Amino acid sequence: MSATVADLLRGGVVTLKIASGAWVVSAVLGLALAVLQDLGLAPVKIFQASLTITLRSVPQLVILYLLYFGLGAVGIQINSILAAILALGVADAAFTAEYYRAGFMTVPWTQREAGFSLGLSRMGVLMRVVVPQTIPFVVPPLLNSFVGLLKTATLAAAVGAPEILYRGQNAMSRTGEIVLVVTIIMGLYVVVTMPLTRAVAVMERRLRSYAHS
Amino acid sequence: MREGSATAGSLLEFRDLHKSFGRSEVLHGVDFRVARGEKVCIVGPSGSGKTTLLRCLNLLVEPTRGQLYYKGEQIGSWPGGARVGLSGYRSRIGMVFQHFELFPHLTALQNLTLGPRHVRHEGRSAAEARALQLLRHVGLEAFANAHPRTLSGGQKQRVAIARALAMQPDLILFDEPTSALDSEMVDEVLELMRRLANEGMTMVIVTHELGFARDVADRIVVMERGAVVEEGPAETMFSAARSQRTRDILRVGVKR
Ligand SMILES: Nc1ncnc2c1ncn2[C@@H]1O[C@H](COP(=O)(O)OP(=O)(O)O)[C@@H](O)[C@H]1O
Ligand SMILES: [Mg+2]
């Protein structure tokens, strides 16, 4: 029992690692996509629109297979954890980009004009005027997406990453204690996720009163 | 297309400026110029195109037709486009907005250093030293680390003026700088603008403050329905304007 718990905890750490890594990839790539879209360069737009549609319609698991086995097939070997971080992060970025874009829209155009009138470039205005004002609005959805990634991180079991579900499945077949293992996993998830969703709720409430003040 | 060159002595000049939004033309061939050190006040009823004129001067909006000259050099000719980088051009021209448009995520000091640091690529300490000096100049040194939301309207506008000054511009455009202020805060801003005028700053000011215009302006430009109705030296415009319409506008001011 305690050995099983210790093993699941170690798996939980790997899950956290995958989710955090994917979250960073998603936050950075999503921002890049949103900025490119805002700058509105025609070729980028087309590339980006097709990328977004692809990322949104294809299941994350397929993207994970593509990265892990696809790269392997062309001779690039990456470990399963890294593959999961990249695949889940890239897949999530299509959604994260939309959070940023919605955030950009909360910043009045006149703020951009104030930046332009100082001589800032479009990129300068975005990075120094628009994005910083957007941050409070994107933190709650980004935290939500982290909670989502904690769950989708279990997909990494499919490529053999030793995360929580992978270890759980092993423990179930080793000990036959299916209910126990599932309960422990659920418990761990609730313990990690609850404070996060609470934090999001509090932040959203603060943002609402801030936006109305 | 008329090409030619700028009027001798003008710092900034737009010839035959037309601006359309979609199918409706809102500026119908305006000639506007300002000389170095000159103070020009633009007055006219709401919707007459004053803001659009200002925004064409620093190319915040793309003109539809006309030629723009800066220090005697042609900056652009429309239809066609600008011949110079917009960033460099705009960085020479300060702009003060009706609703201040301070950056809410930055302190007063950071509002002032943003342009110098990231457009002029000045070092942080040099930019901050100058910004502090400017805040002192506008009487707000004590608010260097305050965020805009904690400032009064008058204080915000003074910070906004200091922000424009921080770029060491050749001229500053003011778009109704006191129209959004409670009446008790109007004077502190006009007072600061008077000081700038005395220091020799080139200023283009859209305003409904006729007393201020009369005191400070070298020249008054009266606009109506997208055209200049009349313009001339402040003294003659107030005492002996040619058109009845100008006399009406300058007598009663303009409802916002
Ligand atoms: N971005 C815009 N799109 C469409 N019409 C505009 C835009 N900006 C200004 N206008 C129109 O141009 C005219 C002049 O506006 P404006 O320059 O703001 O006048 P003023 O500053 O003298 O009040 C108005 O009829 C206004 O509705
Ligand atoms: Mg206006």
Side-chain angles (χ1 to χ4, degrees):
Chain A
M1 159 89 191
S2 70
T4 306
V5 171
D7 192 46
L8 288 177
L9 276 175
R10 271 196 298 277
V13 170
V14 174
T15 305
L16 271 175
K17 216 155 128 189
I18 293 172
S20 317
W23 187 75
V24 170
V25 170
S26 161
V28 172
L29 187 60
L31 178 60
L33 287 173
V35 165
L36 286 176
Q37 196 168 345
D38 193 272
L39 293 176
L41 312 166
V44 177
K45 248 181 175 163
I46 295 167
F47 166 75
Q48 206 215 317
S50 16
L51 184 70
T52 305
I53 290 174
T54 311
L55 291 180
R56 284 189 170 185
S57 45
V58 177
Q60 289 104 320
L61 189 56
V62 173
I63 297 171
L64 178 55
Y65 280 158
L66 183 73
L67 259 175
Y68 188 66
F69 298 114
L71 285 181
V74 295
I76 303 171
Q77 208 61 59
I78 58 176
N79 81 42
S80 55
I81 295 178
L82 182 60
I85 286 174
L86 292 176
L88 300 180
V90 168
D92 204 50
F95 297 94
T96 311
E98 284 311 307
Y99 305 148
Y100 285 111
R101 301 241 319 133
F104 292 176
M105 285 195 292
T106 65
V107 180
W109 190 260
T110 48
Q111 278 283 303
R112 296 192 189 220
E113 291 183 329
F116 288 136
S117 77
L118 291 173
L120 288 171
S121 62
R122 295 188 61 183
M123 187 67 167
V125 163
L126 262 177
M127 299 316 285
R128 310 235 166 247
V129 176
V130 179
V131 171
Q133 293 188 54
T134 302
I135 297 300
F137 293 92
V138 296
V139 168
L142 282 182
L143 281 182
N144 271 332
S145 101
F146 179 69
V147 172
L149 282 167
L150 280 174
K151 292 187 266 186
T152 44
T154 53
L155 291 175
V159 293
E163 53 72 64
I164 194 163
L165 193 65
Y166 181 84
R167 292 184 195 241
Q169 282 161 346
N170 284 349
M172 288 182 225
S173 54
R174 196 171 58 239
T175 64
E177 302 264 28
I178 294 177
V179 175
L180 176 68
V181 170
V182 168
T183 308
I184 294 172
I185 292 179
M186 278 176 65
L188 288 176
Y189 261 95
V190 170
V191 164
V192 172
T193 307
M194 280 265 271
L196 282 172
T197 43
R198 279 295 304 154
V200 171
V202 169
M203 262 185 251
E204 279 175 340
R205 200 163 50 238
R206 284 215 189 127
L207 264 182
R208 260 197 302 279
S209 61
Y210 171 79
H212 290 176
S213 68
Chain B
M1 203 199 305
R2 201 149 48 116
E3 272 296 325
S5 57
T7 305
S10 75
L11 174 62
L12 182 63
E13 178 165 5
F14 223 126
R15 293 248 188 100
D16 191 34
L17 167 60
H18 294 252
K19 173 62 190 175
S20 303
F21 290 107
R23 312 189 61 169
S24 82
E25 187 173 90
V26 302
L27 292 175
H28 315 289
V30 171
D31 289 306
F32 182 89
R33 86 200 122 71
V34 58
R36 194 183 293 280
E38 195 181 19
K39 289 81 176 126
V40 179
C41 282
I42 303 173
V43 300
S46 167
S48 56
K50 308 178 297 293
T51 295
T52 306
L53 168 59
L54 279 198
R55 291 144 72 87
C56 284
L57 292 179
N58 68 354
L59 299 178
L60 272 185
V61 300
E62 178 102 22
T64 308
R65 183 139 61 93
Q67 298 89 45
L68 175 61
Y69 300 91
Y70 181 68
K71 293 185 171 171
E73 183 199 347
Q74 193 179 80
I75 291 299
S77 174
W78 288 264
R83 295 188 174 176
V84 298
L86 291 185
S87 293
Y89 173 66
R90 289 185 188 133
S91 73
R92 307 307 314 131
I93 302 175
M95 183 137 190
V96 173
F97 299 83
Q98 182 173 349
H99 296 284
F100 329 123
E101 302 305 337
L102 292 178
F103 304 125
H105 58 296
L106 300 177
T107 63
L109 188 79
Q110 290 167 334
N111 265 275
L112 266 66
T113 56
L114 183 71
R117 288 191 59 199
H118 301 292
V119 177
R120 295 167 63 99
H121 304 293
E122 286 175 19
R124 183 192 185 128
S125 56
E128 286 184 349
R130 232 191 92 66
L132 267 178
Q133 192 186 324
L134 280 167
L135 284 174
R136 193 176 313 141
H137 193 65
V138 303
L140 292 171
E141 196 187 10
F143 296 87
N145 296 316
H147 277 269
R149 65 177 169 277
T150 65
L151 302 177
S152 73
Q155 291 170 334
K156 282 183 198 166
Q157 198 58 301
R158 283 147 67 198
V159 172
I161 291 171
R163 175 176 70 180
L165 289 169
M167 290 299 287
Q168 299 177 264
D170 294 324
L171 76 157
I172 301 183
L173 311 174
F174 296 81
D175 191 3
E176 302 197 26
T178 59
S179 292
L181 297 177
D182 294 337
S183 53
E184 69 269 22
M185 294 171 186
V186 168
D187 283 344
E188 67 187 67
V189 171
L190 292 183
E191 188 47 47
L192 172 58
M193 290 171 64
R194 278 199 174 88
R195 256 167 55 210
L196 289 187
N198 288 335
E199 288 161 11
M201 177 57 73
T202 308
M203 300 161 82
V204 177
I205 307 160
V206 173
T207 186
H208 297 297
E209 298 288 340
L210 296 181
F212 172 84
R214 188 173 198 152
D215 290 353
V216 170
D218 297 307
R219 194 150 48 82
I220 305 250
V221 173
V222 180
M223 289 187 71
E224 183 158 50
R225 297 206 193 103
V228 173
V229 182
E230 189 169 350
E231 64 178 295
E235 333 56 284
T236 50
M237 290 289 280
F238 276 100
S239 57
R242 288 190 305 277
S243 80
Q244 182 59 44
R245 188 64 188 130
T246 300
R247 284 195 290 274
D248 289 345
I249 290 172
L250 290 183
R251 189 172 321 116
V252 300
V254 178
K255 291 277 169 293
R256 284 164 202 149

